[in-house]
Amino acid sequence: MAPNYNILSIFLILSLHFLSILATGNNHITDRKSLEIIIGGGSDDSPAPSPEQEDFSPPSPPSETPSAPPPRPLPPPSPPPLIFSSPLIKKVFPVIKNFQKLIEDDPKKILKTWVGTDICAQDTYIGLECAKFPGTNDDALGSIQFNNFNFRGKKLRLDNFLDKLEEVTIFHANSNNFLGSVPKVSNLKYLFELDLSNNKLSGEFPSSVLKATNLTFLDLRFNSFSGSVPPQVFNLDLDVLFINDNNLAQRLPENLGSITALYLTFANNRFRGPIPASIGDIKSLQEVLFLNNKLTGCLPYQIGNLNRATVFDVESNELTGPIPYSFGCLNKMEQLNLARNKFYGTIPEILCELSSLKNLSLSSNYFTQVGPKCRTLIKRKILDVGMNCIRGLANQRTWWECARFFMRRKNCPNSKSFFYIPCGKDPHRIKPDQEGLLDGQASPPVSYGALNPDRIRNL
């Protein structure tokens, strides 16, 4: 049988075509069945390969044993316990720290020293001072000295601070920016000095001070307290009472003389009415400032009993009447200021014989006569009688001003008391050389410093 050349020819052509594809690297063999036909001579009816022969699924990853969860981190170690020098310091420490949070402005960097727990250590917690609590060897917070620190904060209040310092004896906070009212201090049984001056405190007079039985120094000046001062305040055993430069408005209480103060400063308020005669009972009074109020009436002769007084100032009120002759008993008087009132009459010569006088101001009144001894003080520039009604002296009121005043002047009741001299001096025979200071020089005035808001007092 002759060979089938047609089949051989086709086979040969396909073989050559396959070889050329391999030589050129062409991989476009997309028909698996065509390749099988070329290589194995199969047909389109050849069975498809079994799944066992062709498995193109990705290999399964090797099996892994599940790992255990990582151990939880250990909790941080507990902080060491706080150590305090005494139970009293431990009790007050959180009070101090809570107060510290209220201070938003600290211009003197005081709070940089408030670190650690030893508030009694030297050079730490500036402004806080410790002392041994009475009857024990325990440290206690005995003194607060914030004078002129100028602390500031929107919530800077004394509540939950001052009233929590149960062992404190001195609280001085002059010139800061405390707000609100004064908390109760009745539980501060050791407190004897309280200085809250030159702050932004308001509300009524802090009557809780009445129960601070050991209080001897009370300074509330340069705030915005209003209303009246409870009469019981004048029953306290105070050495110092500074309440000037507030909004206090009331009549001076009749028991004013019950106080035992050395220094009284009521200036720059709205006190009204007369000065009570009981003022003469304050035997230890050295300085009193009533200037710039609304006081009326006549001066009581009992002022002459203040034989230790060095300063008496009632300038810029509405007081009237003559000067009582009893003022000649004020042997230690250095600063006497009756200016800018409605006093009238003759200036007593007995007043001008006081040898301690350094400043006698009677200006802007309606005095009409002055004797030779007073004229001597005018020449020495100790006595100022400008703007009165004294004929023959320079710088006096006009005739019409004086006449208009005397047409409506008010006389004082019990006018005979103005000639009473409680110390027994004879106003007609007194000699200047008899008025020497037998007890030594009078102390320099200090209460005028209370009229300066930034003055830090250390009496």
Side-chain angles (χ1 to χ4, degrees):
M1 182 176 181
N4 190 341
Y5 291 104
N6 290 331
I7 295 174
L8 290 175
S9 297
I10 293 172
F11 182 80
L12 179 62
I13 291 171
L14 293 173
S15 298
L16 291 173
H17 179 67
F18 176 75
L19 292 175
S20 66
I21 292 173
L22 293 176
T24 58
N26 193 340
N27 295 323
H28 298 284
I29 300 175
T30 59
D31 193 344
R32 182 179 177 88
K33 291 184 178 180
S34 299
L35 182 58
E36 290 174 347
I37 293 171
I38 295 171
I39 297 175
S43 65
D44 291 342
D45 297 329
S46 301
S50 64
E52 290 80 10
Q53 293 174 338
E54 295 186 10
D55 187 2
F56 290 95
S57 61
S60 301
S63 61
E64 296 182 2
T65 305
S67 59
R72 294 182 179 179
L74 295 176
S78 300
L82 299 179
I83 299 176
F84 300 96
S85 59
S86 78
L88 296 177
I89 298 300
K90 180 179 180 180
K91 180 184 68 172
V92 81
F93 185 76
V95 176
I96 295 169
K97 287 301 176 182
N98 288 334
F99 169 72
Q100 184 176 351
K101 296 175 183 177
L102 304 179
I103 302 173
E104 299 174 6
D105 187 16
D106 174 23
K108 294 191 174 181
K109 311 301 180 186
I110 300 298
L111 298 185
K112 285 188 174 181
T113 67
W114 288 24
V115 294
T117 60
D118 192 356
I119 70 173
C120 300
Q122 189 174 6
D123 299 327
T124 65
Y125 286 88
I126 290 177
L128 310 183
E129 297 181 6
C130 296
K132 297 299 180 183
F133 190 72
T136 72
N137 199 34
D138 290 341
D139 288 329
L141 179 57
S143 174
I144 298 290
Q145 299 284 352
F146 290 167
N147 281 350
N148 214 27
F149 281 4
N150 202 23
F151 284 152
R152 188 183 302 272
K154 295 179 181 178
K155 297 182 180 180
L156 188 64
R157 301 175 64 95
L158 293 167
D159 306 83
N160 296 315
F161 179 54
L162 172 60
D163 49 327
K164 302 295 184 183
L165 307 178
E166 296 182 3
E167 290 79 37
V168 75
T169 61
I170 297 174
F171 191 96
H172 287 180
N174 175 303
S175 301
N176 285 278
N177 293 277
F178 284 104
L179 305 168
S181 58
V182 180
K184 293 183 178 180
V185 296
S186 53
N187 60 323
L188 308 184
K189 59 182 180 180
Y190 302 101
L191 182 66
F192 65 89
E193 288 194 11
L194 180 60
D195 182 356
L196 302 177
S197 60
N198 198 23
N199 280 278
K200 296 179 179 179
L201 299 169
S202 59
E204 296 183 352
F205 187 92
S207 57
S208 67
V209 299
L210 298 174
K211 296 183 180 180
T213 54
N214 289 316
L215 197 65
T216 62
F217 182 106
L218 181 59
D219 189 349
L220 302 175
R221 60 198 168 99
F222 289 97
N223 281 288
S224 298
F225 294 114
S226 58
S228 60
V229 181
Q232 296 88 340
V233 170
F234 301 99
N235 295 329
L236 296 175
D237 190 15
L238 292 174
D239 292 333
V240 173
L241 178 60
F242 291 156
I243 54 177
N244 55 285
D245 292 89
N246 281 283
N247 295 317
L248 300 169
Q250 68 179 104
R251 292 176 64 93
L252 289 176
E254 291 298 325
N255 70 329
L256 175 67
S258 299
I259 201 168
T260 58
L262 304 175
Y263 307 98
L264 292 177
T265 307
F266 292 11
N268 303 317
N269 280 285
R270 290 180 289 160
F271 288 105
R272 62 185 185 275
I275 297 176
S278 64
I279 190 174
D281 297 333
I282 314 176
K283 303 301 182 182
S284 57
L285 185 61
Q286 296 182 23
E287 304 183 10
V288 56
L289 303 184
F290 286 139
L291 67 149
N292 197 23
N293 278 281
K294 298 181 180 297
L295 299 178
T296 57
C298 303
L299 296 176
Y301 79 87
Q302 289 88 345
I303 292 175
N305 292 327
L306 304 178
N307 54 19
R308 296 185 183 182
T310 61
V311 175
F312 186 86
D313 192 334
V314 292
E315 181 182 358
S316 297
N317 281 280
E318 299 176 21
L319 296 164
T320 191
I323 299 177
Y325 273 52
S326 63
F327 274 47
C329 297
L330 303 175
N331 293 332
K332 293 186 177 182
M333 185 61 63
E334 297 178 357
Q335 311 279 342
L336 179 57
N337 190 353
L338 309 183
R340 301 183 182 279
N341 281 280
K342 298 177 181 179
F343 294 115
Y344 58 83
T346 300
I347 301 174
E349 285 280 270
I350 190 175
L351 175 62
C352 295
E353 293 171 340
L354 296 177
S355 60
S356 298
L357 279 176
K358 297 178 181 178
N359 181 22
L360 174 57
S361 182
L362 305 179
S363 63
S364 298
N365 282 287
Y366 296 89
F367 292 109
T368 53
Q369 296 185 45
V370 58
K373 293 175 182 177
C374 292
R375 290 176 184 268
T376 299
L377 295 187
I378 294 174
K379 292 179 181 179
R380 294 172 56 191
K381 299 186 182 302
I382 293 176
L383 172 58
D384 181 5
V385 292
M387 296 304 294
N388 277 280
C389 302
I390 305 173
R391 296 179 62 184
L393 292 183
N395 190 29
Q396 298 296 297
R397 295 183 185 273
T398 66
W399 176 88
W400 173 242
E401 284 182 283
C402 295
R404 185 171 54 183
F405 169 78
F406 283 104
M407 283 190 294
R408 64 175 189 270
R409 85 172 190 194
K410 295 181 179 180
N411 294 322
C412 296
N414 193 17
S415 58
K416 292 182 179 180
S417 67
F418 287 94
F419 300 98
Y420 177 63
I421 304 176
C423 56
K425 289 181 181 179
D426 184 346
H428 304 291
R429 296 183 181 181
I430 192 166
K431 296 180 180 180
D433 59 357
Q434 293 176 340
E435 291 301 313
L437 290 178
L438 301 178
D439 298 326
Q441 286 293 330
S443 59
V446 297
S447 60
Y448 278 113
L451 302 180
N452 178 356
D454 299 317
R455 177 169 180 182
I456 300 172
R457 298 193 50 78
N458 290 300
L459 292 178

